[in-house]
Amino acid sequence: MNHIISADEFSRPDIAELFEATNQLREQSLDAEGRRELAQAYIGYQVCSLFYEPSTRTRLSFEAASAKMGMGIVSTESASEFSSAVKGETIEDTMRVLDEYDFAAIVMRHDQTGAAKRAADVVRTPLINAGDGKGEHPTQALLDLYTIDQYAGRLDGLTVVIGGDLARGRTARSLAKLLAKYDKNRLIFLSEPGFEMGDDIKEVVASSNNDYEETTSLGNALSEADIVYWTRMQKERPMDKSGQVGLQQASSFIIDKTALDIMPEHAIVMHPLPKVDEITADVDSDPRAWYFKQAGNGLYVRMALLKRAVEVKYGT
Ligand code: NCD
């Protein structure tokens, strides 16, 4: 397992190993001595951070993770504007060149679905997909899954409501794939008509030991949830079906205090962020709002992913 293109690449043992490494790295980061040790662990290794699309959490947490482990970072945050893509260079050519620079990993985000696979096909350097169009966002889904495990203490037998723009949201797609690796999970896909979860993902869940349902009823879905995973409308991404571009500017499914009251008391709200108007600000201070803690977990999961990339590439 060299590249990380999709949630498909991770087996349950891989995930268990990754989460164990994540916990170790978190533990080590707690005191000054551990942090100093960590900051020297990977001196001499560099990570390339290549973002063709805007990012806050993914790019900065990968870069923070690199810095905290002593790795150098070579970065371009607006690659669609500042890289040779402007001059017409293909992803493949850009990647072939970056592969020559001996990075421990290339972390790439791109607006085209499938771009991560195209890039990975021409490099030996571990390629980490930081989101490709409407495709996947496996590292976000791994930190989402880690958060679910942290909260619930298990990854089986959970009712997870995944709501919002499921047609264009890549994090929801990758998370559903990861949850489908476990047993007896019930995934409730909640979306407006026209924004349903893709058939490819539904097939993955249907052929696993888990089930899915689709609904447009917010109240029914929330009342049964252990986890509520919310997503924003991906306004910047065109819909596949013509005529639907810009159809939906704002979500009509809002998590507010009333929605929290419908949820079972034990249920938590997650969100990959950024959130726009689909969660009201007064929810932020509720103890069941887990999205900032969830984002914080990204740092340690991504440290573990970079550690793994170094091991894969250099065998150390
Ligand atoms: C997500 C993404 O880029 O897909 N953001 C993230 O990485 N946390 C979600 C989004 O943009 O809606």
Side-chain angles (χ1 to χ4, degrees):
M1 194 171 47
N2 195 9
H3 306 298
I4 303 174
I5 309 304
S6 155
D8 297 339
E9 278 123 34
F10 286 83
S11 66
R12 282 172 65 156
D14 294 331
I15 294 168
E17 202 177 303
L18 183 79
F19 289 178
E20 206 180 297
T22 302
N23 289 335
Q24 271 167 16
L25 289 160
R26 181 193 286 277
E27 189 76 16
Q28 201 177 347
S29 308
L30 286 178
D31 59 61
E33 200 192 320
R35 277 202 295 273
R36 260 197 305 274
E37 254 175 45
L38 207 51
Q40 292 174 22
Y42 295 101
I43 290 176
Y45 298 93
Q46 293 83 32
V47 170
C48 178
S49 157
L50 183 67
F51 279 67
Y52 291 86
E53 255 194 356
S55 170
T56 303
R57 277 148 290 271
T58 307
R59 188 172 68 84
L60 295 182
S61 63
F62 263 118
E63 295 189 7
S66 313
K68 284 171 188 287
M69 296 198 298
M71 296 179 175
I73 303 148
V74 177
S75 173
T76 175
E77 61 177 302
S78 301
S80 53
E81 213 177 314
F82 296 131
S83 77
S84 285
V86 181
K87 303 178 191 169
E89 186 171 53
T90 63
I91 291 181
E92 284 82 355
D93 278 0
T94 304
M95 287 298 147
R96 286 185 184 108
V97 173
L98 295 181
D99 205 28
E100 296 292 323
Y101 297 165
D102 192 25
F103 291 113
I106 301 169
V107 181
M108 188 185 89
R109 168 170 289 186
H110 205 283
D111 56 312
Q112 285 171 25
T113 310
K117 169 86 174 67
R118 278 175 57 198
D121 281 349
V122 297
V123 295
R124 287 153 298 151
T125 309
L127 190 290
I128 301 180
N129 179 8
D132 66 323
K134 291 181 275 182
E136 286 212 39
H137 194 347
T139 72
Q140 176 69 45
L142 286 164
L143 77 89
D144 296 340
L145 196 73
Y146 177 87
T147 306
I148 293 174
D149 196 23
Q150 186 182 46
Y151 157 70
R154 65 182 203 277
L155 292 167
D156 293 306
L158 295 166
T159 298
V160 184
V161 175
I162 302 184
D165 186 346
L166 308 184
R168 298 180 290 182
R170 55 199 176 195
T171 71
R173 291 171 49 78
S174 292
L175 178 61
K177 277 187 167 181
L178 287 183
L179 286 166
K181 293 177 189 289
Y182 296 84
D183 295 309
K184 296 193 168 69
N185 289 314
R186 182 174 163 226
L187 307 190
I188 304 182
F189 296 137
L190 171 76
S191 63
E192 306 271 0
F195 294 87
E196 291 92 356
M197 182 58 89
D199 290 339
D200 55 337
I201 303 295
K202 288 190 267 184
E203 271 161 36
V204 170
V205 181
S207 59
S208 74
N209 295 327
N210 306 272
D211 290 317
Y212 78 87
E213 290 154 42
E214 291 184 285
T215 182
T216 54
S217 165
L218 178 73
N220 289 351
L222 293 188
S223 66
E224 300 185 24
D226 296 312
I227 311 281
V228 173
Y229 185 88
W230 226 234
T231 62
R232 71 180 173 95
M233 296 305 292
Q234 305 274 313
K235 282 179 271 190
E236 72 276 27
R237 301 189 194 291
M239 295 291 288
D240 288 333
K241 293 167 208 147
S242 60
Q244 290 194 307
V245 180
L247 178 78
Q248 193 79 16
Q249 288 304 314
S251 178
S252 55
F253 295 129
I254 311 275
I255 300 286
D256 54 14
K257 288 278 189 192
T258 315
L260 285 181
D261 287 342
I262 301 171
M263 287 164 46
E265 248 172 65
H266 71 271
I268 59 164
V269 183
M270 295 175 59
H271 193 301
L273 304 178
K275 61 184 171 67
V276 190
D277 49 14
E278 66 282 359
I279 298 183
T280 56
D282 54 357
V283 173
D284 294 353
S285 57
D286 192 286
R288 291 186 288 167
W290 269 54
Y291 29 86
F292 296 121
K293 193 187 308 215
Q294 173 189 356
N297 286 336
L299 172 66
Y300 301 103
V301 170
R302 286 173 173 140
M303 278 169 127
L305 288 168
L306 291 175
K307 177 173 185 279
R308 182 177 158 280
V310 173
E311 287 161 5
V312 165
K313 179 153 180 186
Y314 302 102
T316 52

